[in-house]
Amino acid sequence: MDQQRLERKMERYIEIVSQLKRKIKWSVSNNQTYMMIASMYVVNEKEFNMDRFLDMSEYIKDEVGLFSTLKSQTRFTTAAMLDIHFDTPKEMFHKYLEVYEAFVDQRFQRGVFTYIAAMVHFLKHGELNLPLVQRARSIYKGMRVEHPFLTTNTDYPLSVLLGEVDKEEDALINYVEAFYAHLNENGFTKGNQLQFLSHILALPSEESEKILVERVQKVKSTFVDFRLKGKQAYYPEMGMLSLIENGASHVSTVKQLSSKLDKEKLFKWYPDMNVKITTNIVVSEITEDTNVTETNLYTAIEAIVQAQQAAMVAVLASSSAVVAGGGDGS
């Protein structure tokens, strides 16, 4: 891993957060939203242009209905994702809305989590792939059967990613459940974060279930060694690192970078978010290695970074979404 490149990424991340805070602080409720948006640009190696970003954000606000979730600060993360991935984001925005409506037609509930799920699908395919939307809905229902109290709308994006896995549906659900059970038997606490971790490990990988479970245990142990603790909030990050051979060896870099952010005025109140963001950036740097990009693992890691970003966007958006009467006037 190129340490100088990594340091430049961190400098760029800090600069983008600072720009966003200066420009849109009256429209965003917390610094974590700036952090999430900045990390997207850094992880995806996309140049950040404030004027282009704001123009897209205002376009979304103007194009949706009065009570749409996208009228709120969710428009900023949506604008970022479209700006990062498409040369003509305004044109693609309307295609994205068509995908969103297709998700609603398949009985995904209107609101922020379906917007995120539709975006995950859209970024993958650039258009509607109805059979995969239907499969995602079916997988979500299977998840609810296994964990009725844990599985909520927040799991929509993960059901979309799992729908891309080339496994028969029942076998896939059982595969996820095997990870959940084995990890719980080995000291991981039951709950939403363990479910998320189990889903991450079920995404395409060249490694066996046994090896992945052993790697996650080692990564968790290394988190504790570096005083990052082994708390549930970091389970997804542990999963990301465990897909990489010798992933535990990169925990020291995560600790170093997150500690640096902890000392910055802009970031010091968000230690958990700092760990999540720096893990994303470290993993993105690892995937620049040609030995990784030439394997199926590269695709898996990309999907996991996307899943983690979707999860963070969804959590941030849900705390500030403006939805009238439970509906969503898109």
Side-chain angles (χ1 to χ4, degrees), residues 54-66 70-71 75 90 93-94 97 330:
L54 290 177
D55 180 59
M56 187 64 211
S57 301
E58 287 304 303
Y59 182 81
I60 291 172
K61 184 180 179 181
D62 292 342
E63 291 294 312
V64 298
L66 181 61
L70 296 183
K71 209 80 170 177
R75 72 183 184 274
K90 291 180 180 178
F93 173 64
H94 294 284
L97 289 182
S330 60

Side-chain angles (χ1 to χ4, degrees), residues 131-327:
L132 284 178
V133 177
Q134 293 168 333
R135 176 171 161 85
R137 176 63 187 174
S138 183
I139 288 172
Y140 174 76
K141 289 168 65 178
M143 291 160 59
R144 281 188 63 85
V145 169
E146 295 294 336
H147 298 284
F149 298 108
L150 291 181
T151 307
T152 66
N153 296 6
T154 61
D155 295 296
Y156 283 171
L158 279 167
S159 71
V160 172
L161 284 171
L162 286 171
E164 301 284 344
V165 177
D166 187 19
K167 265 187 173 65
E168 192 273 328
E169 194 173 304
D170 288 341
L172 178 60
I173 296 296
N174 291 335
Y175 188 51
V176 172
E177 285 309 301
F179 279 119
Y180 189 92
H182 290 162
L183 290 169
N184 178 239
E185 290 167 2
N186 286 281
F188 286 77
T189 306
K190 288 183 177 180
N192 290 313
Q193 296 299 328
L194 182 56
Q195 180 168 264
F196 190 1
L197 172 56
S198 303
H199 293 159
I200 286 175
L201 297 180
L203 291 171
S205 173
E206 298 177 332
E207 302 295 351
S208 69
E209 177 187 329
K210 181 176 182 293
I211 288 176
L212 288 174
V213 170
E214 289 174 351
R215 282 187 183 175
V216 176
Q217 288 178 275
K218 185 174 182 180
V219 170
K220 182 184 177 185
S221 176
T222 310
F223 264 63
V224 175
D225 291 343
F226 280 96
R227 297 183 181 179
L228 288 169
K229 303 183 180 179
K231 56 186 179 181
Q232 292 170 266
Y234 299 150
Y235 282 3
E237 287 66 42
M238 295 175 193
M240 291 168 64
L241 289 166
S242 69
L243 286 194
I244 303 164
E245 189 174 1
N246 299 319
S249 66
H250 299 292
V251 175
S252 59
T253 305
V254 172
K255 171 65 175 179
Q256 175 192 348
L257 297 177
S258 62
S259 295
K260 181 180 177 182
L261 290 178
D262 290 344
K263 296 173 184 176
E264 298 269 349
K265 181 180 178 181
L266 195 57
F267 305 101
K268 67 179 181 179
W269 301 111
Y270 309 100
D272 286 354
M273 190 70 166
N274 290 338
V275 172
K276 291 176 178 294
I277 294 295
T278 52
T279 302
N280 271 271
I281 293 174
V282 168
V283 169
S284 75
E285 181 59 25
I286 294 169
T287 58
E288 295 296 318
D289 189 306
T290 55
N291 293 327
V292 174
T293 58
E294 290 171 358
T295 69
N296 291 333
L297 180 58
Y298 180 75
T299 302
I301 292 173
E302 281 194 315
I304 292 160
V305 171
Q306 189 180 53
Q308 176 66 336
Q309 288 179 335
M312 287 192 281
V313 168
V315 169
L316 293 175
S318 66
S319 66
S320 60
V322 180
V323 182

